[in-house]
């Protein structure tokens, strides 16, 4: 897994992995923020974590190759992004095409980018939610694996809405990954369709994801 922050999604996936309901194992957390909460959570749960070098930039990795090397050394099949706040480029995206999954706290394609819950709240939508999708070379784009809707209540504050979207993420992510890892699927146009077809990518037995 790649993460930058609190790590609540990491913890939800670790809990699912521990009960065998993730469809794979959670091997390692790669984090770009040395003080991030996700690192303390990983230590508490006994899951390996690393902070490979990030370089001079804030919004991307100056050199993705140490990150790729860490994945290769551990034979990681699938990379899960959960709150990873840097844009990725070809060194990582190409070898992991179809094998990199992100969670985003809105019903994409609405409200991509930063502060998605705040964007949706301020826009005044009546329904928002969260999206699990494959990663492409564009921000919060890529074929959708699963979504969950969250109603916006009349008296919601940004805080109360944020709490419910995070709850929805924690409920959605593990079952979505399990399906992605264990059922056949293919890409039709920009749709991810479960079931056999041209361009089948996964599953592989005992896929590990980091
Ligand atoms: C989540 O809302 C996720 O959708 C977004 O960043 C947040 C990460 O939260 N991409 P956490 O670190 O998993 O608690």
């Amino acid at each position: 897994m790649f993460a930058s922050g609190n790590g609540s999604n990491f913890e939800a996936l670790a809990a699912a992995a521990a009960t065998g309901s993730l469809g794979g194992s959670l091997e390692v957390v790669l984090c770009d923020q040395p003080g991030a909460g996700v690192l303390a959570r990983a230590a508490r749960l006994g899951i390996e974590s690393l902070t490979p070098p990030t370089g001079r930039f804030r919004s991307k990795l100056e050199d993705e190759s140490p990150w790729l090397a860490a994945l290769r050394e551990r034979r990681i099949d699938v990379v899960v992004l959960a709150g990873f706040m840097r844009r990725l480029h070809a060194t990582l995206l190409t070898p992991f095409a179809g094998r990199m999954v992100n969670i985003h706290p809105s019903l994409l394609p609405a409200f991509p980018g930063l502060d998605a819950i705040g964007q949706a709240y301020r826009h005044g939508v009546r329904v928002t939610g969260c999206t699990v999708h494959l990663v492409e070379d564009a921000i919060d784009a890529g074929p959708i694996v699963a979504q969950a809707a969250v109603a916006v209540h009349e008296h919601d504050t940004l805080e109360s809405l944020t709490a419910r979207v995070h709850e929805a993420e924690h409920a959605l992510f593990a079952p979505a990954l399990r399906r992605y890892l264990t059922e056949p699927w293919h890409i039709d146009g920009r749709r991810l369709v479960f079931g056999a077809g041209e361009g089948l990518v996964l599953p592989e037995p005992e896929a590990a994801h980091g």
Side-chain angles (χ1 to χ4, degrees), residues 1 6-24 26 29 38 41-42 44-45 47 80 82 103 165-178 209:
M1 170 178 287
N6 176 21
S8 65
N9 281 288
F10 158 76
E11 188 142 356
L13 295 188
T19 64
S21 60
L22 190 59
L26 215 167
V29 179
V38 68
R41 291 184 196 251
R44 176 161 49 77
L45 296 174
I47 294 176
V80 175
I103 188 159
V165 172
H166 287 318
E167 259 175 46
E169 289 189 304
H170 303 156
L172 178 71
F173 210 178
L177 279 174
R178 180 191 178 88
H209 56 274

Side-chain angles (χ1 to χ4, degrees), residues 106-107 126-131 146-152 164-165 168 172:
S106 76
L107 290 176
R126 302 297 185 178
V127 179
T128 184
C130 51
T131 303
Q147 293 185 303
V150 173
V152 183
R164 286 208 312 291
V165 172
L172 178 71

Side-chain angles (χ1 to χ4, degrees), residues 9-209:
N9 281 288
F10 158 76
E11 188 142 356
L13 295 188
T19 64
S21 60
L22 190 59
S25 57
L26 215 167
E27 295 292 330
V28 62
V29 179
L30 274 61
C31 178
D32 61 332
Q33 301 294 338
V38 68
L39 295 171
R41 291 184 196 251
R44 176 161 49 77
L45 296 174
I47 294 176
E48 184 187 14
S49 62
L50 302 170
T51 53
T54 56
R56 288 170 295 168
F57 307 117
R58 283 182 56 164
S59 61
K60 63 178 181 177
L61 300 169
E62 184 168 1
D63 179 7
E64 292 183 336
S65 52
W67 293 65
L68 180 64
L71 299 174
R72 293 273 197 241
E73 281 159 19
R74 290 161 184 78
R75 301 181 178 282
I76 298 297
D77 293 320
V78 171
V79 175
V80 175
L81 309 183
F84 188 68
M85 302 305 285
R86 292 173 195 253
R87 182 126 180 225
L88 297 175
H89 294 90
T91 300
L92 282 164
L93 291 178
T94 303
F96 282 94
R99 295 173 179 276
M100 194 177 279
V101 180
N102 183 44
I103 188 159
H104 182 76
S106 76
L107 290 176
L108 291 171
F111 310 119
L114 293 175
D115 187 24
I117 304 173
Q119 290 185 57
Y121 181 77
R122 288 187 294 276
H123 193 92
V125 297
R126 302 297 185 178
V127 179
T128 184
C130 51
T131 303
V132 175
H133 65 93
L134 301 189
V135 177
E136 284 182 348
D137 189 10
I139 291 175
D140 299 324
I144 290 170
V145 178
Q147 293 185 303
V150 173
V152 183
H153 300 157
E154 205 63 46
H155 300 295
D156 259 330
T157 61
L158 177 56
E159 290 66 35
S160 62
L161 179 62
T162 297
R164 286 208 312 291
V165 172
H166 287 318
E167 259 175 46
E169 289 189 304
H170 303 156
L172 178 71
F173 210 178
L177 279 174
R178 180 191 178 88
R179 192 168 188 211
Y180 159 83
L181 289 167
T182 59
E183 289 185 26
W185 54 266
H186 64 280
I187 299 295
D188 179 7
R190 60 156 300 114
R191 295 189 314 139
L192 187 152
V193 181
F194 284 99
E198 290 291 311
L200 187 68
V201 185
L202 286 175
E204 283 183 351
E206 289 305 306
H209 56 274

